[in-house]
Amino acid sequence: MDADNLALQYLLSGITKGSIYAVVAIGFNLIYSATGVLNFAQGEFVMLGGMIAVTLAAFVPLPVAVTGAVLAVTLLGCGLELAFFRRLRRHSVLHLIIITIGLSIVIQEAALHIWDEKVRSLPYFTGNEASSVRWWGASISPQVFWVLGTVGIAVLVLHLFLRQTLTGQAMRACSAQPEAAMLAGINLQNMRTLAFGLSAGLGALAGCVISPITMTHYEMGAPLAIKGFASAVLGGLGNPTAALAGGLMVGILEAASVSVLPAAYNDVAAFAVLLLVLFFRPHGIWGKPAGQGVREH
Amino acid sequence: MNMISRLLASALCGLGLAALSLNPLAAAPGDNVIKIGALFSVTGPAAFLGAPEAKTAQMVADKINAAGGVDGRKIQLLIKDTAGSPEKAVALARQLIEEERVLAIIGPSTSGETMQIKNLCEENQTLLISCAAAEVIVNPVAKYVFKTAQNDSAAIAWIYRHMKEKNISRIAILTGNDGFGVAGKKQLEDAAKAAGLQIVANEVYDRQATDLTDILTKVKSASGVQAVVNWSIVPAQSIVAKNMRQIGLNVPLYQSHGFGNRKYVEQAGVAAEGILFPASRLLVAHELPDSHPQKAVLTAYLKEYEAQFKEEASAFGGYAHDALLIVVEGVRQAKSTEPAKVRDAIEKLKNFVGVTGTFSFSPKDHGGLGLDAFEMLTVKDGKFTIYKP
């Protein structure tokens, strides 16, 4: 394997990891933009998506199972907003963030009781555990294309939704200028519920497509939430496109660090870069400084 | 308040007090139960060890109690969940020793937890029969500390011997960053030198790792790798197998005895085919000849476990099975529940046939198992089978 192919292999590995971080980071952003809350239960949506899909896949065909899981988790996301955040709106943002941490623990424990401690996974969408595609001298699992394709399309659809549809524009208005949006007749609270639902559904979708590669178990959410949060901060909170870039950057950084440093240091490398960026640009690479419409889609 | 209700009230109070005062009596030593504590990581990252261990221990205890107990005394098994956290293990061990005054503690499931409570048990003269594998648990020997899992070094000896037979000399080592992986890494490195093997790549991955293609790319780029050894107990074992095949790294993959769980084979699917790993005979009990000393114990355990819990038994449950039965055998031999006497009796046990192997303890050896507690296994058609060259 020559150096070029090797570099491509590392890059692909980084992009695979990074695309998942990116989805979690976009989820963070959606909710942050709409409500100002950082939802640390974001990783749990990914876990639930995978778990529910695996359970359903035993009874129905795979596409139905994945759709069912995404719908179920979307509803759960909306339900959480209705049950907790809508009622507790008067509390400070900090309180709400702490509630999300609590929720993540509760969801994790619930998952442990509903399912169990064992790892499980969806079957590979195409091919099997050992199949791989040769591409410019690098070998990749076909599932990686599923991950990249699904994440890519999901992000594109989300982008179009926010820019082109009336509801999407209303959501953006809510985050840019809540009071003005309310005066214009937009139901702020429903938009917040929608943001939770979208972000949960997106997480669940990611949880389904990565399940064959990474496997799903009840504890997988927390590390993803941390990496996703780091990606969101690196890109700049409040900007979904930046979150995508941030996620890919964290993933690629990890893979690149493995090529030169012992693998044990890959988290260190990723977080060192994050810290460095925050030293020079506290609002992230593409974020806007506080006070200049931080929360914009 | 009329007379009757007052009488009733006082009677109830009296009953309550009696119940309260009865409870401590039940816990007093010299009573007709043998208190044995069990620390297992039933939940948490090491749940795949702790869950079958806890189930097995309960099953064995129930079976002994149903058969009349140990010399007429019932076993009271107190299972506590450490969630794989050494801090929790210390707190729970203290509780078992100081409040419950147990005769012995079986478990914990992981080496990290065991090492945290080794001294605690030693100081309080409470027997500790660990279900973890690291050699440091019984070397140096602590008077009250024993273990039932095979030594890591025995597994390494099996792997390296196998490599020699196949003329493999350049290897890559992958280890998880948990206690098992860290201890294994050092032993793998030391033993490789002695065995004349050259380590050309040596990487550590996070125990929660989800994709290892980057690390395996690095292994692939190291020149002349003839085999990969992966040493961990976490689900990443299946990921290593999958990623190796996906990036076209087609060399033999050796796993540690931590791979002895069908769940991992299922998760790795076709990528698991041909994986080599030393493990206890539990996984291949049906292939053993009837004359094998362990055959009866193994088949009985498999049958009972699978009938009761409707899931396949793993080698880990066997550690708990043996730990509990060793304590029981110690009590039987000593005809006493005095810790010092039970300890002496256990140290004298010879050829005690368990699920994991045939134990023979001595004052110098509190592990009790030899190289023969392992068998080299491989995966064929999604099933474990004895490796035949």
Side-chain angles (χ1 to χ4, degrees):
Chain A
M1 204 183 223
D2 58 53
D4 282 354
N5 301 343
L6 213 56
L8 183 66
Q9 188 83 60
Y10 282 122
L11 187 67
L12 282 167
S13 164
I15 291 175
T16 318
K17 283 188 201 180
S19 60
I20 301 306
Y21 300 157
V23 171
V24 179
I26 291 171
F28 265 110
N29 268 318
L30 277 174
I31 292 181
Y32 178 75
S33 296
T35 66
V37 173
L38 289 166
N39 172 31
F40 281 99
Q42 196 61 40
E44 264 56 53
F45 294 147
V46 180
M47 180 268 292
L48 283 177
M51 283 292 200
I52 296 176
V54 171
T55 312
L56 291 179
F59 306 103
V60 292
L62 190 63
V64 184
V66 171
T67 320
V70 172
L71 283 178
V73 178
T74 307
L75 288 179
L76 179 83
C78 295
L80 286 181
E81 203 277 339
L82 289 174
F84 295 97
F85 299 95
R86 191 170 286 211
R87 287 159 181 270
L88 300 169
R89 189 106 290 278
R90 281 158 201 226
H91 292 260
S92 75
V93 165
L94 188 64
H95 284 148
L96 296 177
I97 293 177
I98 292 170
I99 289 172
T100 67
I101 297 176
L103 276 178
S104 98
I105 297 171
V106 170
I107 295 177
Q108 228 181 77
E109 291 296 318
L112 175 64
H113 285 279
I114 296 172
W115 293 279
D116 51 25
E117 78 293 344
K118 296 192 183 74
V119 289
R120 51 196 82 206
S121 61
L122 285 173
Y124 278 68
F125 293 6
T126 38
N128 61 24
E129 291 82 357
S131 55
S132 72
V133 182
R134 301 279 298 171
W135 193 59
W136 292 90
S139 318
I140 8 171
S141 164
Q143 189 66 26
V144 169
F145 292 108
W146 277 101
V147 173
L148 297 180
T150 312
V151 170
I153 291 171
V155 170
L156 194 69
V157 169
L158 182 71
H159 184 79
L160 291 176
F161 167 73
L162 288 174
R163 301 269 151 186
Q164 308 293 335
T165 66
L166 195 62
T167 323
Q169 283 167 341
M171 264 184 86
R172 286 170 57 216
C174 288
S175 32
Q177 198 40 272
E179 288 80 11
M182 242 180 336
L183 286 173
I186 296 170
N187 188 333
L188 204 58
Q189 299 201 317
N190 286 354
M191 288 300 141
R192 287 182 173 145
T193 312
L194 183 64
F196 263 85
L198 272 180
S199 140
L202 200 62
L205 182 65
C208 294
V209 286
I210 60 164
S211 175
I213 301 180
T214 66
M215 307 187 287
T216 311
H217 62 118
Y218 80 101
E219 269 192 323
M220 75 182 296
L224 279 179
I226 294 171
K227 291 279 170 64
F229 177 60
S231 310
V233 171
L234 181 65
L237 265 177
N239 182 340
T241 328
L244 179 67
L248 291 177
M249 277 174 67
V250 172
I252 294 169
L253 268 172
E254 276 185 14
S257 83
V258 168
S259 68
V260 282
L261 289 170
Y265 292 100
N266 69 0
D267 283 354
V268 180
F271 284 106
V273 172
L274 175 69
L275 282 178
L276 264 182
V277 169
L278 290 184
F279 267 122
F280 295 107
R281 284 185 72 88
H283 36 82
I285 300 180
W286 293 280
K288 292 181 187 139
Q292 295 180 24
V294 194
R295 288 160 44 185
E296 202 186 346
H297 276 301
Chain B
M1 202 183 275
N2 62 26
M3 195 63 144
I4 297 170
S5 63
R6 202 174 289 180
L7 266 177
L8 263 177
S10 60
L12 277 175
C13 278
L15 270 177
L17 275 177
L20 271 178
S21 57
L22 266 176
N23 245 345
L25 275 181
D31 189 69
N32 226 17
V33 294
I34 305 171
K35 271 198 171 186
I36 299 176
L39 296 176
F40 295 123
S41 58
V42 183
T43 58
F48 59 94
L49 297 171
E53 284 168 352
K55 284 176 184 162
T56 303
Q58 192 62 56
M59 181 183 87
V60 173
D62 289 347
K63 191 182 161 198
I64 294 175
N65 286 341
V70 186
D71 298 335
R73 304 175 68 182
K74 294 266 155 93
I75 295 174
Q76 189 186 355
L77 188 65
L78 302 159
I79 299 178
K80 308 273 177 189
D81 178 14
T82 65
S85 136
E87 296 77 28
K88 248 187 174 168
V90 172
L92 290 170
R94 270 191 198 288
Q95 193 192 347
L96 286 173
I97 294 170
E98 287 162 13
E99 288 173 28
E100 305 285 356
R101 303 192 174 281
V102 295
L103 162 70
I105 294 176
I106 59 173
S109 314
T110 67
S111 303
E113 293 166 281
T114 307
M115 290 313 288
Q116 289 296 318
I117 66 167
K118 182 178 172 183
N119 286 337
L120 188 70
C121 292
E122 185 70 6
E123 283 160 14
N124 290 289
Q125 308 198 331
T126 304
L127 272 166
L128 178 67
I129 320 280
S130 172
C131 294
E135 213 140 354
V136 282
I137 296 169
V138 290
N139 182 22
V141 172
K143 258 186 114 177
Y144 282 85
V145 181
F146 296 80
K147 78 180 179 91
T148 54
Q150 303 97 330
N151 280 337
D152 296 348
S153 63
I156 294 173
W158 269 91
I159 291 176
Y160 285 175
R161 195 165 71 191
H162 197 262
M163 286 177 169
K164 284 249 148 144
E165 283 163 16
K166 293 202 142 191
N167 290 325
I168 289 168
S169 61
R170 295 168 69 83
I171 60 167
I173 295 178
L174 300 179
T175 46
N177 69 348
D178 49 3
F180 183 75
V182 172
K185 178 173 150 76
K186 194 169 174 314
Q187 288 183 308
L188 280 166
E189 288 164 355
D190 294 347
K193 226 173 276 166
L197 295 164
Q198 200 184 347
I199 301 172
V200 290
N202 193 345
E203 293 291 334
V204 178
Y205 53 81
D206 191 77
R207 66 189 167 87
Q208 292 191 312
T210 49
D211 181 89
L212 296 168
T213 38
D214 45 5
I215 291 172
L216 287 161
T217 306
K218 197 170 182 182
V219 169
K220 196 177 175 186
S221 67
S223 62
V225 176
Q226 290 171 304
V228 175
V229 185
N230 176 43
W231 202 265
S232 76
I233 42 174
V234 289
Q237 295 181 97
S238 316
I239 301 181
V240 169
K242 287 194 284 188
N243 289 168
M244 261 181 81
R245 299 283 293 271
Q246 280 155 6
I247 68 162
L249 181 56
N250 294 319
V251 294
L253 170 61
Y254 292 85
Q255 301 261 24
S256 71
H257 41 309
F259 192 65
N261 185 334
R262 281 192 183 82
K263 204 77 201 166
Y264 293 146
V265 176
E266 262 169 48
Q267 291 300 326
V270 293
E273 293 295 300
I275 288 176
L276 292 155
F277 70 107
S280 89
R281 293 188 181 81
L282 177 72
L283 305 167
V284 288
H286 58 281
E287 285 184 49
L288 293 177
D290 286 338
S291 59
H292 195 279
Q294 278 182 276
K295 176 94 178 182
V297 178
L298 289 172
T299 17
Y301 171 63
L302 281 173
K303 218 170 105 190
E304 284 162 28
Y305 187 92
E306 282 162 16
Q308 187 166 344
F309 301 110
K310 310 278 178 265
E311 63 177 24
E312 279 181 286
S314 71
F316 313 125
Y319 302 152
H321 173 275
D322 297 351
L324 185 53
L325 284 181
I326 284 170
V327 176
V328 168
E329 188 63 20
V331 172
R332 273 196 188 123
Q333 299 282 339
K335 298 194 173 50
S336 151
T337 46
E338 242 172 82
K341 288 189 182 156
V342 177
R343 189 211 83 86
D344 291 345
I346 292 178
E347 206 168 63
K348 289 196 192 93
L349 280 185
K350 292 277 180 282
N351 296 324
F352 179 78
V353 179
V355 166
T356 314
T358 306
F359 294 86
S360 294
F361 295 105
S362 75
K364 279 192 188 136
D365 180 10
H366 280 195
L369 293 171
L371 273 185
D372 61 347
F374 278 124
E375 190 83 59
M376 191 54 116
L377 306 189
T378 186
V379 180
K380 205 175 166 200
D381 303 326
K383 292 200 172 61
F384 293 129
T385 170
I386 296 175
Y387 174 81
K388 293 179 196 78

